[in-house]
Every structure is written in C-alpha cells, then in structure tokens.
Amino acid sequence: MFAAERRQLILEMVRANGAVSLRELARVVQTSEVTVRRDVRALEAEGLLDRRHGGAVLPGGFSRESGFPQKSLSATAEKTAVADLAAGLVEEGEAVVVGAGTTTQELARRLARVPGLTVVTNSLLVAQALAHANRVEVVMTGGTLRGSNYALVGSGAEQSLQGLRVTRAFLSGSGLTAERGLSTSNMLSASVDRALVQSAAEVVVLADHTKLGTDTMFQTVPTDVMTRLVTDEPPPHDDRAATELQALADQGVQIAVAGAQGRPAPAGRREAPLPGQRRTHPVQPPGPQLRVADLGRH
C-alpha cells in the first residue's frame, strides 16, 4: 500500500471513530507501528489530526468521543435527573424511538414502568434495560454492532427504520450548541441518529449541562428540528452552558430543566424557564399521540 493510500485510510478511521490507537491503525493498514507513527506525524503537520500518546485523535477544534466506560462514570447524577424528567413525557401505549447513549440508557430503565409501550432502538443497552419489563415491547433495528457504545449502526440499521413513524424520538449525543444543534464524534452513529429523527413526529434531546456549548464533528439534530431539550440546571458559574440554553430557547426550543445539583425537579414539573428567558413559542403539551396500533400505517 502506498503512503498516500495508507494516510487516507488512517484519516478516515480517525474521522469515523474520533480516536484510534497506533496498534489498531497498524493492524488495519497492515504495516508496522513505526510506519503508522510516521504517517500520523505527516497528517498532523497538515492539520488533519492530532497525535496523542499511543494514537491519533480528531483535530483540537472538535471534541472526540469518549469510550463507554468513561461516559458511564461522567455526570451520573445529572444524567439521572435528566432521565427522570424525560420519562414524564412518555404516556401509556405510546410508540417511541430511543437512541444509543448512557443518558438514554437511564431513560430506558424508567420507561420499563410504562405499560403498553413500544420502544424502537438501535442500542443493546436500551434493549437490555427493557428486556424484562412487563407489557413493554422492544423492537431492535438491524445493523452492525459498534462495540464502543453497544449500538447497531450502518446501512442495515438505517434501512430497518424506513417507513417507521412514532410519537417522539429521544436522542443524546456528545455535544450541543445553539448554532449546530446536537452532534456526535462518530460518522456511523450520526447517520443512524438522523434516521431515528426522521421516524418521529417530535424530537427530544437529552443533554446534561456538561455537553452544552461543546461542538463535535457530525451533526445529528439541527436546532430547528429539536422540539425540546431536557437538561439539568447548570452551576451558577457555568456561563457557557447558560448562554447556550438561552440561545436555544430564543430559537424556539422548549427547555425542560431538572432540579439543581442533579436532583430531579419536583413532581409534575415539566418546563422550567431560565432566568430572563424569552420564548419564541409558548410551551405546548405533546401533540396527538401515536399508539402501538399506528405503527405501519404511515
């Protein structure tokens, strides 16, 4: 394999995964780690990627994706509060889609208590959380397993969603800004998330405050497609998160904020305006509900 071909393949792998070890790069391009290290240095000199100890990552302008073990230990109290609040949006007998992620996994654990629910998902973790729930039907997409987040991706996953119509989609990601909306560091995951969005009448983004103001490489949900955001209350000193929340609200996104310091909001609380928040649209209750029987009629 010529150097130009190797470097193009290395670049594609890093763009698709956010971060790749030298050992894995060497295995895929079938050369030595010494050669791969030289290729990575050349690509870094062109500004196409950054070197890290033992591997290569996306350029510094974008946040790279963490592995599942790191994600599962990050902002756990905040994710719990977000999941508690989001679960209150789901009613008995609905059909919803739930994307992959640690926050959506927390949501799935709460949806196990909603009778007559149908959940379509590409996440093995979401399916596992609902596997033993009474009167909850789980529909898995097809696709290829992406081990870093236990999600099914690729053309098989996307094709299995064609013709599907549900009440709402619940999605999380790696970053959220008012300018670009929800984004993720992995191209295959982003493509499936976009297909999930197309299947839903309403799109609900789940993002704790640590993701606000963070931009990653692949856009999944543009701001103008987001119906509502469920998040937790940023700390008083977090100006970046507060600014993004205000900008999202100004663009008409309905903001639901869980209680301070990761505590769930009081019972019955749904929409919590930010201080000084200007709404371009009044908060409306969820629209007409699609029930399980409606699947396949669209």
Side-chain angles (χ1 to χ4, degrees), residues 164-227:
L164 180 71
R165 191 65 171 170
V166 298
T167 306
R168 56 180 62 89
F170 292 92
L171 297 174
S172 61
S174 302
L176 176 63
T177 66
E179 180 181 0
R180 292 186 70 226
L182 190 68
S183 61
T184 186
S185 301
N186 182 266
M187 179 173 58
L188 296 175
S189 295
S191 185
V192 174
D193 281 354
R194 287 192 288 266
L196 292 172
V197 168
Q198 292 297 317
S199 72
E202 181 178 300
V203 180
V204 181
V205 170
L206 311 182
D208 64 77
H209 75 270
T210 64
K211 297 178 181 178
L212 297 174
T214 298
D215 197 8
T216 52
M217 194 166 186
F218 299 100
Q219 183 189 57
T220 57
V221 186
T223 305
D224 60 359
V225 175
M226 292 172 53
T227 307

Side-chain angles (χ1 to χ4, degrees), residues 45-46 89 133 167 179 289:
E46 297 179 38
L89 299 173
T167 306
E179 180 181 0
Q289 305 300 301

Side-chain angles (χ1 to χ4, degrees), residues 50 52 58-63:
D50 289 341
R52 291 292 183 270
L58 292 174
F62 295 99
S63 297

Side-chain angles (χ1 to χ4, degrees), residues 6 9-10 13-14 17 19-40 52-57:
R6 282 199 317 271
L9 182 55
I10 289 170
M13 289 181 62
V14 174
N17 295 281
V20 186
S21 69
L22 293 178
R23 179 178 300 178
E24 179 65 11
L25 290 172
R27 184 188 67 80
V28 173
V29 301
Q30 298 182 339
T31 189
S32 68
E33 289 189 31
V34 173
T35 300
V36 165
R37 187 176 289 110
R38 186 164 55 245
D39 290 333
V40 168
R52 291 292 183 270
H53 179 68
V57 302

Side-chain angles (χ1 to χ4, degrees), residues 11 52 94 115 162 171 190 195 218 261:
L11 186 58
R52 291 292 183 270
E94 277 193 76
Q162 292 180 1
L171 297 174
F218 299 100
Q261 300 178 354

